[in-house]
Short mmCIF file of all heavy atoms in Angstrom, two decimals:
data_model
loop_
_atom_site.label_atom_id
_atom_site.label_comp_id
_atom_site.label_asym_id
_atom_site.label_seq_id
_atom_site.Cartn_x
_atom_site.Cartn_y
_atom_site.Cartn_z
N GLY A 487 104.51 116.69 85.40
CA GLY A 487 103.98 117.23 86.63
C GLY A 487 104.34 116.38 87.83
O GLY A 487 104.26 116.85 88.98
N ASP A 488 104.76 115.13 87.59
CA ASP A 488 105.16 114.25 88.69
C ASP A 488 106.63 114.43 89.01
O ASP A 488 107.15 113.72 89.87
CB ASP A 488 104.91 112.79 88.29
CG ASP A 488 103.43 112.51 88.07
OD1 ASP A 488 102.61 113.20 88.69
OD2 ASP A 488 103.11 111.61 87.28
N PHE A 489 107.34 115.31 88.30
CA PHE A 489 108.77 115.48 88.49
C PHE A 489 109.10 116.84 89.10
O PHE A 489 108.34 117.82 88.95
CB PHE A 489 109.48 115.37 87.13
CG PHE A 489 109.89 113.98 86.76
CD1 PHE A 489 108.94 112.97 86.67
CD2 PHE A 489 111.20 113.67 86.52
CE1 PHE A 489 109.31 111.69 86.33
CE2 PHE A 489 111.59 112.37 86.21
CZ PHE A 489 110.64 111.38 86.11
N SER A 490 110.22 116.90 89.75
CA SER A 490 110.73 118.15 90.29
C SER A 490 112.23 118.23 90.01
O SER A 490 112.92 117.20 89.97
CB SER A 490 110.50 118.24 91.80
OG SER A 490 109.12 118.36 92.08
N ARG A 491 112.72 119.46 89.83
CA ARG A 491 114.14 119.66 89.59
C ARG A 491 114.81 119.98 90.94
O ARG A 491 114.40 120.89 91.65
CB ARG A 491 114.36 120.80 88.61
CG ARG A 491 115.81 121.02 88.23
CD ARG A 491 115.93 121.77 86.93
NE ARG A 491 115.42 120.97 85.82
CZ ARG A 491 115.38 121.40 84.55
NH1 ARG A 491 115.81 122.62 84.25
NH2 ARG A 491 114.89 120.63 83.61
N VAL A 492 115.82 119.21 91.26
CA VAL A 492 116.48 119.36 92.54
C VAL A 492 117.99 119.28 92.39
O VAL A 492 118.50 118.86 91.35
CB VAL A 492 116.02 118.25 93.54
CG1 VAL A 492 114.56 118.34 93.83
CG2 VAL A 492 116.38 116.87 92.98
N LYS A 493 118.69 119.72 93.45
CA LYS A 493 120.14 119.50 93.53
C LYS A 493 120.41 118.41 94.54
O LYS A 493 119.87 118.42 95.65
CB LYS A 493 120.85 120.79 93.94
CG LYS A 493 121.05 121.76 92.80
CD LYS A 493 122.02 122.88 93.19
CE LYS A 493 122.31 123.77 92.00
NZ LYS A 493 123.30 124.81 92.34
N LEU A 494 121.25 117.47 94.14
CA LEU A 494 121.59 116.33 95.00
C LEU A 494 123.06 116.38 95.36
O LEU A 494 123.89 116.84 94.58
CB LEU A 494 121.30 115.01 94.27
CG LEU A 494 119.88 114.66 93.89
CD1 LEU A 494 119.86 113.38 93.07
CD2 LEU A 494 119.04 114.46 95.15
N LEU A 495 123.36 115.81 96.51
CA LEU A 495 124.74 115.60 96.94
C LEU A 495 124.83 114.12 97.34
O LEU A 495 124.33 113.73 98.40
CB LEU A 495 125.09 116.51 98.12
CG LEU A 495 126.58 116.77 98.35
CD1 LEU A 495 127.21 117.46 97.14
CD2 LEU A 495 126.80 117.60 99.60
N LEU A 496 125.46 113.32 96.48
CA LEU A 496 125.51 111.87 96.72
C LEU A 496 126.95 111.41 96.90
O LEU A 496 127.84 111.84 96.12
CB LEU A 496 124.88 111.12 95.55
CG LEU A 496 123.40 111.38 95.27
CD1 LEU A 496 122.96 110.59 94.03
CD2 LEU A 496 122.55 110.99 96.46
N PRO A 497 127.20 110.53 97.86
CA PRO A 497 128.55 109.96 98.01
C PRO A 497 128.92 109.16 96.75
O PRO A 497 128.09 108.42 96.23
CB PRO A 497 128.40 109.04 99.24
CG PRO A 497 127.18 109.53 99.95
CD PRO A 497 126.27 110.05 98.91
N GLN A 498 130.14 109.31 96.30
CA GLN A 498 130.56 108.57 95.10
C GLN A 498 130.52 107.05 95.33
O GLN A 498 130.37 106.29 94.38
CB GLN A 498 131.97 109.00 94.69
CG GLN A 498 132.04 110.35 94.03
CD GLN A 498 133.32 110.56 93.22
OE1 GLN A 498 133.89 109.61 92.69
NE2 GLN A 498 133.76 111.79 93.13
N GLY A 499 130.61 106.64 96.58
CA GLY A 499 130.58 105.21 96.85
C GLY A 499 129.18 104.61 96.79
O GLY A 499 129.04 103.38 96.82
N ARG A 500 128.15 105.48 96.68
CA ARG A 500 126.78 104.96 96.63
C ARG A 500 126.35 104.77 95.18
O ARG A 500 125.54 105.51 94.61
CB ARG A 500 125.83 105.91 97.35
CG ARG A 500 126.03 105.98 98.86
CD ARG A 500 125.79 104.61 99.55
NE ARG A 500 124.49 104.08 99.30
CZ ARG A 500 123.42 104.31 100.06
NH1 ARG A 500 123.54 105.10 101.11
NH2 ARG A 500 122.25 103.75 99.77
#
Side-chain angles (χ1 to χ4, degrees):
D488 297 332
F489 271 58
S490 291
R491 184 159 294 180
V492 297
K493 279 193 175 183
L494 296 174
L495 201 62
L496 298 177
Q498 285 199 30
R500 292 298 303 270

